[in-house]
Amino acid sequence: MIAALALALTAAAVAHRIAWTRAHREALGLVASTGLSTRQPTVAADAFWDPDPVRSRLAVARGLLAEAYDPDAFSKLPVREAADAASRLSERLELARGVAADALAELPAAWQAAMIIGSATNRIWSLEGDKRLFTERSVWERPLEAAAKLGPGQDEPLRPLAVAWLETWPLLSASRRLEARGTLQRAFADPDTFRQCAPLWLAGATDREEAFSLVPDLPWGWSIVEETCRAREDWDGFCAARRRRDVATGQLAERRVREAGDHLRGGDPAGARSLALSVVGEVPSDRRFAATLRAALAECPAGPMSSSAATIRRWLDLALDGFVRGQAWLPPEVVARIAASAGDLPAPTAALAALASGDLSAAEVIERRAEAGNTEVWAPYWVAKARVLARARRVAEGRTALRRVNRSWSVSLPVIEARVALAEASGDASAAAAAGAELDGAAAASWRGIDWTWHGQTAHLDLCAVRDAPGFDLTLDEYPPRGTVVQVSLDGAPVAVAPALDHEGLSVAAPVSRGPHLVEINAIAGGRVVPGDLTLFEEGEKGKGQR
């Protein structure tokens, strides 16, 4: 009896092994026949090493389905092979659907199989222009909804369902759309899914309010909306998304700063450092987020910040732009820390950063070692040094520094302001009056295009407003033919994000007080803009002569 039982078990094991070998061989044959081993080697490897033949075949079916949704699936193939592969999409989807149906028969709880059946059916009918895509939508909807129920913790089944619904969104009833919103919101929480669905969703939504209502309220979500609006040349939508992104960035940064503080006080400096650096690397480098930067650095243990070097350099540039103009947009201790993490700096920048950090001695050491001259790159340093020496009542040395300013800067507003500071520090009333008169003489209510200077892709204008104004008009001498979006900043803080469509430019409703200011403009949606005339509003004016 025992021998017979052993023989039966052995026979069963052998039969099982033979069946498994045959099934696995069929799965590998499926990989070879579909060409996935060349186009998707990772999928082919998964199918090869998976000990379960059913899962192996499902992996192949999922790979075939993925190609039907990816517009770049065949982009790396030679032209003829790519054309052939694209022409056989429906054939391979039929194969994937058959494989999934067989798998679902063997494993009724396999959500992947149900997902593939519904997705493949939808895609085949869509590619072939089959009216059943609309008249018999339950044929593809039910398997996808079943997949979502079979895998309640899985978001993957929601992706093809979301894409399928969005492709037919205008034809859905109001009640059906309302039911679908929850599924779409859950699907959109995945960045890759939202990136794929965003063009369909933004095109199908009835208005911007509805479109934005399902956007993940995180920086990456609004960045995807920006990308989509840029591609559609929807400049108003881009502007709205940029404003939402900035708000979401600020909220996320504040949460991370609090979490960093909790980690630091809880004895986890590495966690605190990681969170703080993520804030430093992600917040825009402008004055709106200066307090956030200071708070993040306060919770960040000492050490290099090389992972955020590019952003750190932009913060340093912001701080130095303000410092040259007598404005401390970042405190000295913050400037010192970011300068130490900004990588190798040119000598003029390093010396200026030392000044902004409150270390005049270090700045002068760099100055002497570099044998600083009166070239244009050293002009900001000499202007800033003159201001520093004026505050220290070392007027003679300050005037010596100011005489070393390159002649291209000699009549610039920062130089005039430095002269005023030195004259006031000297205690000489007549000198102070003369310097003040020079500054008053530089005041105006309008400036021409030739008054702008360029720093990379950003145009700068140092102006001295002759009076208080509720804003200003800005014309554009050059702009992309199809338009773009520009960001205008006043004294280091953005005050306008607006479409740039024509020579008329834009009106910026931002209060401008009497005295010196720095205005900057750059294109943030691609292309290049060249600013023209800037004119202050009259009292009560709203722009372009409107009262």
Side-chain angles (χ1 to χ4, degrees):
M1 177 66 72
I2 295 176
L5 180 60
L7 186 61
L9 290 174
T10 301
V14 170
H16 179 269
R17 180 63 182 177
I18 292 172
W20 181 90
T21 301
R22 184 185 304 113
H24 197 256
R25 189 179 296 117
E26 290 174 358
L28 297 183
L30 193 60
V31 171
S33 65
T34 55
L36 279 181
S37 55
T38 300
R39 298 193 305 275
Q40 299 189 55
T42 302
V43 172
D46 290 343
F48 179 83
W49 291 109
D50 197 318
D52 185 338
V54 176
R55 287 206 307 263
S56 181
R57 294 199 301 272
L58 276 178
V60 176
R62 289 172 71 177
L64 295 174
L65 179 65
E67 290 181 336
Y69 284 93
D70 182 4
D72 298 321
F74 311 123
S75 60
K76 295 182 180 180
L77 296 177
V79 176
R80 274 189 191 174
E81 290 183 32
D84 179 64
S87 68
R88 298 175 60 192
L89 265 180
S90 294
E91 176 187 332
R92 285 196 293 274
L93 285 170
E94 288 282 10
L95 177 60
R97 183 167 60 177
V99 169
D102 292 342
L104 191 62
E106 293 186 50
L107 301 173
W111 62 264
Q112 301 98 324
M115 177 191 71
I116 293 168
I117 292 171
S119 299
T121 302
N122 172 276
R123 207 63 184 160
I124 291 169
W125 289 356
S126 177
L127 291 171
E128 296 178 351
D130 195 318
K131 66 180 182 180
R132 288 179 295 175
L133 180 67
F134 311 108
T135 60
E136 300 180 24
R137 59 183 310 117
S138 61
V139 174
W140 57 263
E141 274 186 338
R142 285 176 182 169
L144 289 174
E145 291 171 339
K149 291 178 181 177
L150 289 171
Q154 301 290 334
D155 288 334
E156 188 177 351
L158 303 177
R159 299 173 193 171
L161 185 58
V163 172
W165 274 341
L166 291 175
E167 286 180 335
T168 59
W169 191 257
L171 303 177
L172 296 182
S173 65
S175 60
R176 190 60 171 150
R177 289 188 186 188
L178 190 61
E179 293 173 6
R181 285 178 63 87
T183 299
L184 291 179
Q185 191 166 30
R186 184 178 161 192
F188 289 175
D190 173 68
D192 290 335
T193 300
F194 184 56
R195 182 171 284 104
Q196 180 182 3
C197 293
L200 292 170
W201 171 239
L202 294 179
T206 54
D207 54 33
R208 188 175 300 151
E209 182 179 359
E210 181 187 25
F212 282 10
S213 66
L214 293 188
V215 175
D217 195 18
L218 290 166
W220 62 259
W222 296 111
S223 293
I224 290 173
V225 175
E226 281 185 20
E227 295 168 9
T228 306
C229 289
R230 181 191 290 115
R232 298 173 61 200
E233 297 179 357
D234 175 8
W235 306 125
D236 288 330
F238 183 101
C239 294
R242 172 55 63 95
R243 288 188 283 270
R244 297 286 193 97
R245 191 188 84 173
D246 286 346
V247 171
T249 298
Q251 293 171 343
L252 179 62
E254 289 174 4
R255 289 198 299 271
R256 287 182 175 173
V257 168
R258 289 195 296 269
E259 291 173 13
D262 293 340
H263 279 265
L264 189 61
R265 287 179 283 279
D268 179 19
R273 181 177 176 74
S274 176
L275 285 164
L277 289 182
S278 71
V279 173
V280 173
E282 293 174 10
V283 295
S285 49
D286 62 59
R287 279 180 54 215
R288 295 172 303 170
F289 294 95
T292 304
L293 174 70
R294 293 198 300 271
L297 292 179
E299 305 294 356
C300 183
M305 295 184 283
S306 55
S307 60
S308 307
T311 305
I312 288 290
R313 183 58 192 271
R314 289 194 293 272
W315 275 110
L316 182 60
D317 290 342
L318 174 81
L320 299 184
D321 278 345
F323 186 72
V324 169
R325 292 161 178 83
Q327 301 181 42
W329 293 341
L330 291 177
E333 63 275 11
V334 172
V335 176
R337 188 163 184 189
I338 62 177
S341 300
D344 293 332
L345 297 174
T349 305
L352 182 56
L355 280 181
S357 303
D359 195 341
L360 175 59
S361 298
E364 290 181 330
V365 169
I366 298 170
E367 170 194 327
R368 287 193 298 271
R369 288 178 176 172
E371 298 181 353
N374 63 348
T375 56
E376 187 173 357
V377 294
W378 279 96
Y381 169 76
W382 294 124
V383 173
K385 185 177 181 181
R387 281 181 170 276
V388 169
L389 292 170
R391 287 196 294 270
R393 303 290 179 179
R394 294 160 60 177
V395 177
E397 295 174 71
R399 286 174 174 161
T400 299
L402 207 55
R403 282 195 292 270
R404 301 190 69 177
V405 171
N406 185 269
R407 61 184 179 181
S408 64
W409 274 60
S410 60
V411 294
S412 67
L413 194 57
V415 170
I416 297 173
E417 290 182 89
R419 290 196 190 108
V420 171
L422 287 166
E424 291 175 347
S426 71
D428 184 335
S430 61
E438 184 181 11
L439 184 60
D440 290 341
S446 63
W447 294 263
R448 297 177 299 167
I450 60 172
D451 295 324
W452 294 83
T453 59
W454 287 92
H455 298 251
Q457 295 296 310
T458 302
H460 289 213
L461 174 64
D462 280 293
L463 62 82
C464 185
V466 72
R467 54 177 168 76
D468 292 344
F472 52 87
D473 288 325
L474 178 60
T475 65
L476 299 175
D477 286 349
E478 290 184 22
Y479 48 88
R482 303 182 70 87
T484 186
V485 172
V486 294
Q487 178 172 280
V488 180
S489 297
L490 178 66
D491 295 328
V495 291
V497 173
L501 305 175
D502 52 37
H503 174 71
E504 290 298 312
L506 60 151
S507 296
V508 178
V512 180
S513 60
R514 181 177 182 273
H517 296 280
L518 172 65
V519 178
E520 299 165 280
I521 180 172
N522 66 300
I524 59 174
R528 183 173 184 264
V529 295
V530 176
D533 298 341
L534 186 151
T535 306
L536 297 179
F537 292 171
E538 297 290 346
E539 186 65 34
E541 193 177 33
K542 298 179 180 178
K544 305 300 180 187
Q546 299 176 5
R547 295 181 182 276

